[in-house]
Amino acid sequence: MVGAVPSDSVGIPLSDPELESAVAATLAEVEAGLHVALASGDPLVAEAARHLVDAGGKRFRPLLVAICAQFGDHRRPEVVKAAEVVELTHVATLYHDDVMDEASLRRGTPSANSRWDNSVAILVGDFLFARAADVAAQLGPEAVRIQASTFSRLVHGQIAETVGPRDADPVRHYLYVLAEKTGSLMATSARFGAMFAGAPQDQAEALARYGEAMGIAFQLSDDLLDIESDSPVSGKTPGTDLREGVPTLPVLYALASDERDAGSVRLRQLLADGPLTDERRHAEALGLLRESAALKHARETVRGYAEQARTELAPLPDTSARRALESLCEFIADRTS
């Protein structure tokens, strides 16, 4: 499983061979369990449900479960089931997100909505949520309660993103959306790892807080990479969010700026026009944004959340697992420097 989910795929260097071996073993069991959970008597449902799981992905949430389980007995079979719950929940959201975003690709393969249609994609997403709930039920009522609460936060985040900030501050609204859509499931992943490994409750609570802050920081850093990266290095097309009119944090900071220099004024003018589909205007806005105070402010925000996540690890024992989680904070802070 190390080959399918490399230990450094999201910046966590598992330099301890024993930790790497334990995490890899857990992830291998999770991968097998996911395919069992996706089984269906209907061939179409089975094929569509496997579609994104077979396409790969970082399996970041199961990875977080596996690392946080190191603070207890990581060999407990409940740990694997807990990781299946969070990954099934995550993949279900991708089916729904692709419908709402009208996405044609996901993980380098045609999205379910483009391969089949929106109705099939939505219903398969619902099937995956149901399978996540079924696996959670095997872990007991507390797992069901936590998974349901997380699902509620995911839905609230999606609704908030869909309707927009309305009368709320756009930056505060955006950070709220990230907390609900990304931070909530990261928090549950970290909590489940510790909880089902039998770690002390105070450690599970600390890891949940870590997961939430780290999840927000990681998503924000992805937003910055969309602006800063070169596609040969990152594999992403720079400025995709700008081209699609997605108001990420640097854009929101730029729009809220009252700086009067020519570059800032021109950037606000360009951003106020919405999606930048014209190549010349897109290139101009991307160049101005890369040199803006707004981007610097966004970097500081990422570092703030990464540092908050690191602080939450303070009550935990000094182990290779804790050091791996600390390394993730450093990676997030450094990847957009």
Side-chain angles (χ1 to χ4, degrees), residues 5-186:
V5 185
S7 62
D8 62 350
S9 63
V10 288
I12 305 180
L14 303 184
S15 54
D16 183 306
E18 186 175 347
L19 174 62
E20 182 168 5
S21 175
V23 168
T26 298
L27 292 177
E29 291 187 60
V30 171
E31 200 69 16
L34 286 174
H35 286 83
V36 172
L38 296 174
S40 169
D42 186 311
L44 173 60
V45 174
E47 180 186 7
R50 292 196 310 269
H51 183 62
L52 287 186
V53 170
D54 289 346
K58 293 184 176 72
R59 300 289 191 265
F60 186 22
R61 290 150 191 83
L63 181 64
L64 194 55
V65 172
I67 294 174
C68 291
Q70 296 294 314
F71 294 95
D73 181 2
H74 66 273
R75 299 177 187 84
R76 289 186 176 186
E78 293 89 348
V79 171
V80 173
K81 291 294 183 183
E84 292 172 19
V85 171
V86 296
E87 185 64 9
L88 287 168
T89 301
H90 171 59
V91 175
T93 67
L94 300 183
Y95 280 80
H96 288 178
D97 283 353
D98 286 346
V99 171
M100 299 193 71
D101 297 341
E102 300 180 351
S104 59
L105 290 175
R106 169 69 70 174
R107 294 176 174 174
T109 195
S111 61
N113 48 297
S114 64
R115 178 169 176 179
W116 290 280
D117 58 33
N118 284 347
S119 296
V120 169
I122 291 169
L123 291 170
V124 170
D126 292 344
F127 170 73
L128 291 170
F129 278 124
R131 297 302 297 131
D134 184 59
V135 177
Q138 299 172 42
L139 295 170
E142 183 65 4
V144 173
R145 185 193 67 78
I146 294 171
Q147 197 264 348
S149 176
T150 305
F151 186 22
S152 176
R153 290 189 65 188
L154 290 167
V155 172
H156 276 86
Q158 186 61 67
I159 291 172
E161 182 178 55
T162 301
V163 302
R166 292 178 286 185
D167 295 329
D169 172 70
V171 170
R172 183 176 299 177
H173 172 266
Y174 185 68
L175 293 173
Y176 166 78
V177 168
L178 293 192
E180 298 299 283
K181 285 192 64 177
T182 304
S184 63
L185 192 54
M186 294 291 195

Side-chain angles (χ1 to χ4, degrees), residues 158-290:
Q158 186 61 67
I159 291 172
E161 182 178 55
T162 301
V163 302
R166 292 178 286 185
D167 295 329
D169 172 70
V171 170
R172 183 176 299 177
H173 172 266
Y174 185 68
L175 293 173
Y176 166 78
V177 168
L178 293 192
E180 298 299 283
K181 285 192 64 177
T182 304
S184 63
L185 192 54
M186 294 291 195
T188 295
S189 300
R191 181 191 298 276
F192 270 8
M195 175 179 168
F196 289 106
Q201 183 175 351
D202 62 329
Q203 293 185 14
E205 294 290 341
L207 286 166
R209 294 191 298 271
Y210 164 87
E212 177 126 358
M214 183 273 302
I216 297 170
F218 198 86
Q219 185 58 58
L220 287 174
S221 68
D222 268 0
D223 291 350
L224 270 62
L225 285 178
D226 183 68
I227 296 167
E228 297 179 299
S229 65
D230 293 320
S231 53
V233 175
S234 67
K236 298 174 65 176
T237 301
T240 298
D241 291 332
L242 275 179
R243 185 171 282 107
E244 296 176 353
V246 177
T248 56
L249 189 65
V251 169
L252 293 174
Y253 278 153
L255 287 170
S257 170
D258 57 3
E259 295 188 27
R260 305 308 303 171
D261 62 279
S264 297
V265 172
R266 176 57 177 162
L267 178 58
R268 288 197 295 272
Q269 290 173 344
L270 290 166
L271 296 177
D273 290 340
L276 289 163
T277 55
D278 178 81
E279 289 301 322
R280 183 185 60 80
R281 293 168 65 83
H282 176 271
E284 183 183 4
L286 187 59
L288 289 169
L289 197 52
R290 284 174 169 172

